[in-house]
Amino acid sequence: MKRSIIITGGAGFIGSHVVRLFVNKYPEYKIINLDKLTYAGNLANLRDIEDRPNYRFVKMDICDFEGVLKLMQEEHVDGIIHLAAESHVDRSIKDPFTFAQTNVMGTLSLLQAAKAYWEPMGWQMQHCAVPCRFYHISTDEVYGALEMTHPEGIEPPFTTKASSGKHHLAYGEKFFTEDLKYQPHSPYSAAKASSDHFVRAFHDTFGMPTIVTNCSNNYGPYQFPEKLIPLFINNIRHRKPLPVYGKGENVRDWLYVEDHARAIDVIFHQGKIAETYNIGGFNEWKNIDIIKVLINTVDRLLGRPEGADMDLITYVTDRAGHDLRYAIDSSKLQRELGWEPSLQFEEGIEKTVRWYLDNQAWMDNVTSGDYQKYYEDMYKNR
């Protein structure tokens, strides 16, 4: 094999799309999917590529330093794409210890294993023509929150232009850029911020070839249905309440997951060592507006009168420390590596809703928890 790459969290939402892309696009690479198979990991996400000769799944906790090091030695690993993380903010508020263990100590375990294996070889494997690479995927939430500002009295959203020259609708004049100071507000974002610092420290201290990216909210197929878009699609389908935090005024920048996977591919192969790249969709939406789009789309595709399920919206007490606005400026990535989103939100959300409506068996298997019992039985004697 030309390269041997570990992708952590490869059975999860974003990770499964990255694994699929790399397995299909690079048959000369060995792709090792390392996943603990927590509630968010589901190998059904990868049924279409599980028998490929260049793919291997390994059930392992990233906190298992000895296990990771042994796997790297066995497979002659020259690249790590690190996506494994606890990522749900509500869960982090209830259980911050788990988030610190996985997101911080898990990342440190991977870094230590990579250092132990790569450093004696001068950070380059004999079989590989390029240096080893540790690519850490993070979140825009580490930057904190942005204000809802507007120029000359114009109420948002308004048309603005990013530094790349790309026009888009925005709810403020400021955006997250790579040089912003970190200001995490939740246990989840604090744990991710800490892991980012460890990755950069391993470059600065030991010379490890690292890259960090911070991405906006992802949406698309195979997302665990505790997240807003798949949860609400399923609830609308079954006419269940749609719980909206506060007034639904919080703004997020949304990116179709396959566009994120393409960005990861480009950055892993062409990104500069020790650089940070922000990945975003130039696509800001208030939560309440997304919910209304989802209702209209689901109703239309199910043959109901459009908007018939608006009465499912139920306003609930806002989440503690709920950041008002996130907005990524990914101009650096566009300018230096030529990447940009391929889908407009309206097209992406149509594809996403259709996928969940067409894959109710997958949704039922996840929401019932049956998939977890299946994997527990499969691996309990191994």
Side-chain angles (χ1 to χ4, degrees):
M1 291 294 178
K2 187 176 180 181
R3 300 203 66 167
S4 182
I5 301 168
I6 286 176
I7 299 177
T8 70
F13 168 46
I14 300 172
S16 63
H17 286 275
V18 177
V19 167
R20 179 179 293 103
L21 174 63
F22 272 67
V23 168
N24 287 331
K25 186 174 180 179
Y26 302 105
E28 72 276 20
Y29 289 7
K30 178 68 173 289
I31 304 300
I32 303 108
N33 174 6
L34 191 159
D35 199 296
K36 185 181 177 181
L37 293 183
T38 64
Y39 76 94
N42 188 350
L43 290 176
N45 298 352
L46 292 164
R47 288 272 165 76
D48 56 318
I49 58 99
E50 63 184 3
D51 294 325
R52 297 292 179 86
N54 64 328
Y55 171 72
R56 177 187 175 189
F57 171 72
V58 177
K59 185 178 185 296
M60 186 180 294
D61 189 338
I62 58 173
C63 293
D64 181 0
F65 165 78
E66 296 292 344
V68 173
L69 178 57
K70 182 180 178 182
L71 178 63
M72 293 186 70
Q73 292 167 339
E74 288 176 351
E75 293 286 1
H76 307 291
V77 170
D78 57 80
I80 294 176
I81 301 176
H82 177 34
L83 293 114
E86 295 283 350
S87 65
H88 193 51
V89 176
D90 287 352
R91 288 178 183 260
S92 81
I93 293 170
K94 295 177 181 178
D95 182 17
F97 280 108
T98 296
F99 280 69
Q101 178 67 22
T102 299
N103 297 358
V104 183
M105 298 307 295
T107 300
L108 182 56
S109 171
L110 289 169
L111 287 165
Q112 283 283 72
K115 175 180 179 295
Y117 184 47
W118 292 340
E119 190 177 36
M121 295 176 283
W123 306 107
Q124 182 153 351
M125 305 285 293
Q126 289 185 350
H127 73 274
C128 189
V130 296
C132 301
R133 182 159 292 196
F134 190 106
Y135 178 0
H136 176 66
I137 285 82
S138 189
T139 173
D140 58 356
E141 297 190 36
V142 298
Y143 295 120
L146 295 167
E147 294 181 352
M148 304 266 272
T149 58
H150 46 277
E152 302 175 0
I154 301 174
E155 290 297 321
F158 53 85
T159 300
T160 189
K161 184 169 68 173
S163 56
S164 65
K166 186 179 180 68
H167 286 82
H168 58 105
L169 291 179
Y171 283 84
E173 297 179 275
K174 294 184 178 180
F175 301 87
F176 294 143
T177 56
E178 289 84 355
D179 57 357
L180 276 185
K181 181 177 70 173
Y182 276 22
Q183 293 184 330
H185 292 153
S186 71
Y188 161 60
S189 57
K192 289 299 291 184
S194 179
S195 67
D196 295 2
H197 291 321
F198 267 110
V199 173
R200 295 189 178 102
F202 266 64
H203 171 267
D204 295 347
T205 304
F206 306 113
M208 181 180 288
T210 63
I211 292 178
V212 175
T213 56
N214 301 85
C215 190
S216 60
N217 282 27
N218 281 216
Y219 70 99
Y222 299 110
Q223 188 170 27
F224 191 79
E226 68 183 355
K227 302 290 188 176
L228 187 151
I229 288 179
L231 172 66
F232 279 33
I233 291 172
N234 199 44
N235 282 12
I236 296 163
R237 178 174 195 153
H238 296 289
R239 291 196 163 105
K240 295 181 179 179
L242 307 177
V244 180
Y245 282 130
K247 297 180 180 179
E249 297 291 310
N250 303 77
V251 173
R252 298 294 183 261
D253 176 19
W254 292 89
L255 179 68
Y256 191 65
V257 64
E258 291 181 3
D259 280 336
H260 188 188
R262 287 194 307 103
I264 290 171
D265 177 22
V266 171
I267 294 165
F268 179 78
H269 288 96
Q270 301 177 31
K272 296 178 182 178
I273 297 298
E275 286 288 341
T276 298
Y277 298 93
N278 281 350
I279 309 172
F282 291 112
N283 182 40
E284 293 182 53
W285 285 77
K286 284 186 179 181
N287 285 345
I288 190 62
D289 292 334
I290 280 192
I291 292 163
K292 291 176 181 178
V293 169
L294 289 173
I295 292 170
N296 286 332
T297 306
V298 173
D299 284 346
R300 173 169 50 81
L301 293 178
L302 290 179
R304 301 172 185 170
E306 196 163 302
D309 289 311
M310 288 292 177
D311 60 348
L312 296 175
I313 294 174
T314 305
Y315 294 98
V316 299
T317 302
D318 206 354
R319 181 170 67 201
H322 199 178
D323 291 335
L324 182 60
R325 174 178 172 251
Y326 301 151
I328 283 276
D329 185 344
S330 54
S331 298
K332 176 181 175 180
L333 178 56
Q334 292 182 330
R335 184 174 61 252
E336 295 187 6
L337 301 182
W339 174 91
E340 64 179 6
S342 67
L343 291 181
Q344 295 295 319
F345 183 73
E346 291 79 6
E347 181 183 358
I349 206 68
E350 180 89 8
K351 289 181 64 174
T352 299
V353 171
R354 285 185 181 277
W355 188 89
Y356 284 104
L357 294 181
D358 290 343
N359 289 271
Q360 189 62 38
W362 179 92
M363 178 67 79
D364 291 343
N365 193 40
V366 172
T367 54
S368 69
D370 289 346
Y371 73 106
Q372 285 187 289
K373 185 178 185 304
Y374 174 78
Y375 296 131
E376 287 170 2
D377 293 343
M378 178 187 295
Y379 286 99
K380 67 182 178 181
N381 295 321
R382 296 190 181 185

